[in-house]
């Protein structure tokens, strides 16, 4: 019998095998070209594995279980888009500057362990993000129908994916047109400073909620709770870890905007949520921006004054 532990264990082994092989080949070639591509392939491999293994001795075969079919399709659509977009972006940029230092591209010494850390971080991200999907596909619970709860979170998941796709396409088209206006305010970027990150985070909270109906004992099912690592780890990566996500896009990296168009960017920043797509952000009290809206002070650009070396705040409070 392919129990949930077995499905999870083999999924972890598949992830390690793909990422370790990718690291070994990539480092030998001193390239990061297929880093993101193998991340996308890894997601699809876990979806395929869990769909096959989760049907062994299950009350319903995968093809007869609409919940498993839906979660697999939603997951593949989300990760399939990510694979296509990241592959296209890598081709357009002809590389990824995140890896320049660890691969010694600037004339420095290559750092094999530093490069290894990137691949292991991706392994953790792929596996942890996949947890709600693995949970549903490996579940032995026989609930062939959808509840209103299921339908609501499936729709919300789709909304998160759609927001991410729109954000990626609109930003890419803006870049193609020559970065008119110095910073992107097209489409969803007019109501969120980072709508792509919002869509990525939001969809995994929704899939975690959707997976609840596949739990054996409701809120007391520990394996269902393990799935919360999917959205939490996504938030950790995109909100706290350099050199990616908000830490890479905000803070000191806002310097170019404050040098080229300080007034326009400052106004955009004060009027536009860092994540949640919304209208009327300028009316939100500062203490709420600094808490539930995640617009933390660490994301501000604080250049040092040329005269006395003190720090000047050019962010929301200026």
């Amino acid at each position: 019998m392919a129990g949930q532990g077995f499905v999870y264990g083999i999924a972890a082994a598949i992830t390690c095998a793909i990422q370790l092989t990718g690291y070994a080949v990539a480092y030998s070639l001193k390239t990061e070209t297929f880093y993101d591509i193998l991340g996308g392939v890894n997601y699809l491999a876990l979806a395929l594995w869990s769909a096959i293994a989760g049907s062994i001795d299950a009350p319903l075969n995968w093809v007869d279980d609409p919940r498993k079919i839906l979660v697999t399709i939603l997951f593949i659509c989300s990760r399939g888009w990510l694979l296509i977009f990241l592959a296209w972006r890598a081709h357009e940029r002809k590389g990824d500057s995140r890896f320049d230092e660890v691969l010694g591209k600037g004339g420095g010494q290559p750092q094999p362990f530093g490069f290894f850390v990137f691949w292991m971080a991706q392994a953790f991200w792929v596996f942890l993000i996949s947890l709600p999907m693995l949970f549903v596909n490996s579940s032995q619970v026989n609930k062939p129908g959808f509840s209103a709860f299921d339908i609501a979170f499936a729709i919300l998941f789709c909304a998160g994916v759609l927001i991410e796709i729109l954000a990626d396409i609109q930003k890419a088209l803006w870049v193609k047109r020559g970065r008119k206006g110095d910073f992107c305010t097209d489409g969803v970027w007019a109501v969120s400073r980072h709508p792509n990150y919002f869509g990525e985070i939001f969809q995994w909270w929704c899939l975690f909620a959707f997976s609840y109906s596949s739990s054996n004992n409701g809120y007391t099912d520990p394996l269902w709770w393990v799935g919360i690592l999917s959205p939490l780890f996504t938030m950790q990566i995109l909100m706290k870890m350099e050199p990616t996500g908000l830490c890479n896009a905000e803070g000191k990296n806002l310097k170019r905007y404050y040098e080229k168009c300080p007034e326009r960017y400052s106004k955009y920043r004060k009027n536009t949520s860092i994540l949640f797509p919304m209208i009327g952000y300028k009316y939100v009290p500062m203490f709420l921006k600094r808490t539930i809206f995640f617009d933390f002070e660490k994301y501000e650009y604080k250049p040092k004054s040329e005269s006395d070396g003190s720090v000047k705040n050019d962010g929301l409070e200026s």
Side-chain angles (χ1 to χ4, degrees), residues 140-163:
Q140 301 292 310
V141 173
N142 184 6
K143 292 182 180 178
F146 293 110
S147 66
F149 181 88
D150 296 330
I151 295 171
F153 278 101
I155 292 173
L156 289 173
F157 178 89
C158 292
V161 174
L162 182 60
I163 289 172

Side-chain angles (χ1 to χ4, degrees), residues 22-303:
Y23 161 73
V25 175
Y27 189 75
S28 67
L29 298 175
K30 297 296 186 291
T31 180
E32 75 287 356
T33 302
F34 45 87
Y35 176 80
D36 288 324
I37 295 174
L38 280 183
V41 170
N42 201 155
Y43 284 118
L44 302 184
L46 295 191
L48 178 62
W49 157 250
S50 61
I52 294 172
S55 294
I56 301 175
D57 294 331
L60 292 174
N61 290 324
W62 183 87
V63 294
D64 299 319
D65 193 324
R67 181 172 283 99
K68 292 183 178 182
I69 293 174
L70 180 60
V71 78
T72 304
I73 291 174
L74 292 177
F75 186 84
I76 289 176
C77 287
S78 168
R79 299 303 85 184
W81 163 254
L82 186 68
L83 172 59
I84 293 170
F85 177 73
L86 292 179
W88 170 83
R89 190 178 68 176
H91 177 266
E92 287 290 304
R93 294 180 175 179
K94 303 186 186 309
D96 192 328
S97 60
R98 292 177 299 171
F99 299 93
D100 288 352
E101 183 178 355
V102 294
L103 289 176
K105 290 188 175 183
Q109 187 71 19
Q111 302 171 23
F113 181 73
F115 194 46
F116 175 78
V117 169
F118 273 100
W119 286 88
M120 288 302 96
Q122 179 161 260
F124 274 101
W125 196 356
V126 168
F127 183 74
L128 293 179
I129 275 185
S130 304
L131 286 174
M133 180 273 298
L134 293 174
F135 181 77
V136 175
N137 275 347
S138 63
S139 174
Q140 301 292 310
V141 173
N142 184 6
K143 292 182 180 178
F146 293 110
S147 66
F149 181 88
D150 296 330
I151 295 171
F153 278 101
I155 292 173
L156 289 173
F157 178 89
C158 292
V161 174
L162 182 60
I163 289 172
E164 184 174 10
I165 291 175
L166 285 174
D168 288 338
I169 292 175
Q170 289 166 351
K171 182 70 171 286
L173 292 175
W174 173 77
V175 171
K176 281 284 190 182
R177 290 194 292 264
R179 300 176 181 268
K180 183 179 179 181
D182 298 313
F183 55 91
C184 185
T185 58
D186 293 353
V188 290
W189 295 86
V191 291
S192 170
R193 303 204 305 270
H194 302 285
N196 51 340
Y197 297 152
F198 169 79
E200 180 71 14
I201 293 169
F202 183 67
Q203 63 186 277
W204 302 120
W205 278 110
C206 293
L207 199 65
F208 167 65
F210 177 86
S211 69
Y212 173 76
S213 294
S214 296
S215 60
N216 287 312
N217 302 304
Y219 291 112
T220 62
D221 189 334
L223 199 57
W224 174 71
W225 279 109
V226 170
I228 202 172
L229 292 174
S230 173
L232 288 179
F233 192 73
T234 302
M235 293 180 72
Q236 173 70 19
I237 291 287
L238 295 181
M239 298 178 66
K240 293 186 177 182
M241 291 185 67
E242 297 186 32
T244 190
L246 295 180
C247 291
N248 184 56
E250 298 272 334
K252 62 183 180 181
N253 293 307
L254 298 175
K255 180 180 179 180
R256 61 191 186 276
Y257 301 134
Y258 285 109
E259 289 182 343
K260 293 186 67 175
C261 48
E263 292 184 3
R264 287 193 299 111
Y265 184 74
S266 182
K267 181 179 179 181
Y268 169 72
R269 188 175 180 81
K270 290 177 181 179
N271 295 342
T272 312
S273 167
I274 190 169
L275 284 175
F276 300 98
M278 62 178 292
I279 297 172
Y281 187 67
K282 64 181 178 180
Y283 302 112
V284 176
M286 181 56 65
F287 79 94
L288 291 180
K289 291 181 178 181
R290 292 290 192 231
T291 52
I292 63 174
F293 285 91
F294 305 115
D295 214 338
F296 303 131
E297 188 174 0
K298 69 177 182 179
Y299 298 136
E300 301 294 345
Y301 173 57
K302 298 181 178 179

